[in-house]
Amino acid sequence: MVNVAALRLGLLFRVVSHRVKTGRWHELWQVLRNGSASTQIRATHFAAPGLLSPKGKRIQPPPLFQMASAYWISQAIYAAAKFGIADILKDGPKSCREIASAIKADEASLFRLMRVLCMLEVCRANDAGNFELIEFGRPLQSGVSGSLRAMVLTLGELHYQSWGHLCESVQTGHPGFERVYGGKMFEFLEKNSDAGETFNLAMTDFSAFVSYAVLLSYDFFGIKSIVDVGGGYGKLLTSILDVYPQMQGVLFDLPAVIDAANAQIDSLPCRDRCAAIAGNFLESLPRGADLYLLSGVIHDWDDRGAQLILRNCRNAMRSNGRVLVVECVVPDGSEPSFSKLLDLNMLVMTGGRERTAGEFLDLLSEAGLKLSRIIPTASPLSIIEAVRK
């Protein structure tokens, strides 16, 4: 029997040792710290300020009203990301006038936004009345470990507009995204370079969280070759290759994505072991690898599309190969889970879905694969491992 605790401790030691040797311990610390801070749910962040009773006790609006108006909060955070306020404050406190000048905004209106951002603990006003960035708001900076700025921009633009058509998605089963933007999401991102670049950067930043969740939960020892299917700019794949120097990797994605990924891969120590190949995973995949990795890919598709992708992995891999799907697993029953909200988001954005363990079992079986195990990680994601039937 595998000692799970010992295995996890060994994986932790391997990852930490690598980051210390390569001088990247700070990156690991920043990702873990920012990831923890950014996923923490604080009641004060979802509560409207409320009113004071005659006795001075704060009276909150009804909880249902607070939920219904929560987009006020998300759009305030989006505005902070769009204006780059965290980047402006990264070198020290600034007055409202200085910030307004930097972003070409109306000072009085900006003050009202900054007041809300202080309430949300993104920043704070010091004794001099200037605004300074604090820990909770640091992930809104661009280009730092644990950054969520690109993710917030994507959520505040593409997702926000699409969610306005949730009712239509529920009635028709079709993505609200298509109603707003006139086509499927990935086709739109391929044709609109600015939106596509922001989306892929958001996925790259998120992959920093995913990579540590995967590396601390799954032992890749003995795997000689891996194909990261739909791997974006390659953050997850290159993180794995860094820790496992015996491994060869292939990053596989659409041509526009691969063109941008090559520039990033060329600057990495593992560049000689990482090939970037353009193609369409709905048609075919590079053949003969030991492991095919699908992180955040299968949930973008309905069952028919997901089966096709998984079947292509099965047909391409070695006879004793494996498929790893890194995604949320929806718990049965009514227990609270982020995966249930994410599932609704997939309906609105792509027509895909999150799945229960039973649904993964059936999906893999239809693709000629057998579910071998589901491995939880220190994140909302799980690792679903499959082999040939």
Side-chain angles (χ1 to χ4, degrees):
M1 177 180 289
V2 176
N3 186 323
V4 176
L7 175 62
R8 290 285 175 88
L9 186 60
L11 294 174
L12 176 61
F13 180 76
R14 178 180 290 159
V15 174
V16 171
S17 295
H18 177 269
R19 292 303 184 252
V20 171
K21 288 178 182 177
T22 56
R24 292 165 61 192
W25 164 250
H26 182 69
E27 175 190 289
L28 172 59
W29 172 244
Q30 286 289 335
V31 168
L32 295 178
R33 183 179 65 175
N34 288 347
S36 174
S38 299
T39 55
Q40 205 173 36
I41 297 177
R42 307 182 191 181
T44 55
H45 291 167
F46 292 90
L51 304 172
L52 291 178
S53 71
K55 294 182 178 180
K57 184 177 180 181
R58 192 170 297 279
I59 302 172
Q60 297 290 353
L64 188 60
F65 176 87
Q66 294 180 51
M67 291 181 185
S69 60
Y71 71 92
W72 299 351
I73 293 173
S74 64
Q75 280 295 291
I77 293 172
Y78 163 73
K82 186 71 173 179
F83 291 136
I85 288 174
D87 289 329
I88 293 170
L89 297 179
K90 67 181 180 181
D91 294 325
K94 297 283 191 300
S95 69
C96 190
R97 178 168 295 180
E98 290 174 311
I99 301 169
S101 176
I103 66 175
K104 296 179 172 58
D106 175 68
E107 183 180 346
S109 299
L110 176 64
F111 175 79
R112 295 160 74 175
L113 173 63
M114 297 303 296
R115 182 168 57 186
V116 169
L117 294 177
C118 288
M119 180 189 77
L120 299 174
E121 298 178 21
V122 170
C123 57
R124 69 183 169 208
N126 62 21
D127 292 340
N130 295 329
F131 295 98
E132 57 187 10
L133 191 64
I134 56 178
E135 195 64 36
F136 190 76
R138 294 192 195 285
L140 287 177
Q141 295 179 82
S142 54
V144 298
S145 296
S147 175
L148 289 172
R149 181 171 184 258
M151 181 66 77
V152 171
L153 292 175
T154 295
L155 291 172
E157 293 169 358
L158 300 182
H159 288 70
Y160 180 71
Q161 296 295 329
S162 301
W163 268 77
H165 294 267
L166 173 61
C167 291
E168 290 179 48
S169 293
V170 171
Q171 287 180 312
T172 66
H174 299 303
F177 183 96
E178 295 179 6
R179 179 65 181 270
V180 177
Y181 295 100
K184 296 184 181 300
M185 188 180 81
F186 291 107
E187 294 174 358
F188 173 86
L189 294 174
E190 196 171 8
K191 295 175 183 176
N192 294 269
S193 58
D194 288 345
E197 183 178 353
T198 301
F199 176 84
N200 283 306
L201 182 56
M203 295 302 102
T204 298
D205 290 339
F206 182 67
S207 291
F209 298 106
V210 176
S211 63
Y212 286 110
V214 170
L215 285 167
L216 295 173
S217 303
Y218 193 86
D219 190 357
F220 291 88
F221 186 77
I223 295 171
K224 296 179 180 179
S225 56
I226 179 173
V227 176
D228 189 357
V229 181
Y233 291 168
K235 178 64 176 179
L236 175 56
L237 175 61
T238 55
S239 295
I240 295 171
L241 295 178
D242 278 346
V243 179
Y244 293 88
Q246 82 286 353
M247 191 186 296
Q248 299 286 326
V250 173
L251 178 66
F252 188 80
D253 214 312
L254 294 170
V257 178
I258 291 298
D259 288 343
N262 271 318
Q264 299 196 25
I265 294 172
D266 287 345
S267 65
L268 299 176
C270 65
R271 59 185 175 274
D272 293 335
R273 295 183 290 114
C274 184
I277 299 177
N280 186 338
F281 53 53
L282 295 174
E283 297 173 0
S284 63
L285 292 169
R287 300 184 65 84
D290 296 327
L291 188 146
Y292 287 75
L293 177 64
L294 296 151
S295 178
V297 172
I298 294 302
H299 74 164
D300 288 327
W301 300 87
D302 61 15
D303 285 352
R304 182 178 179 182
Q307 288 170 17
L308 176 58
I309 298 165
L310 290 166
R311 194 174 297 113
N312 286 343
C313 290
R314 180 196 178 279
N315 293 340
M317 71 186 188
R318 298 169 65 92
S319 59
N320 61 345
R322 287 174 257 178
V323 174
L324 292 190
V325 177
V326 182
E327 290 191 1
C328 292
V329 176
V330 182
D332 293 318
S334 58
E335 68 177 89
S337 172
F338 172 74
S339 63
K340 296 177 181 180
L341 279 172
L342 186 58
D343 176 59
L344 202 58
N345 186 62
M346 302 319 298
L347 168 64
V348 169
M349 298 301 293
T350 68
R353 63 185 305 136
E354 304 302 319
R355 294 172 171 88
T356 65
E359 288 169 337
F360 272 116
L361 181 68
D362 294 340
L363 184 71
L364 292 165
S365 181
E366 289 295 323
L369 294 164
K370 179 176 68 174
L371 176 64
S372 55
R373 54 180 173 155
I374 296 177
I375 306 166
T377 72
S379 79
L381 303 170
S382 294
I383 302 169
I384 299 100
E385 183 188 65
V387 296
R388 278 183 172 172
K389 289 174 73 173

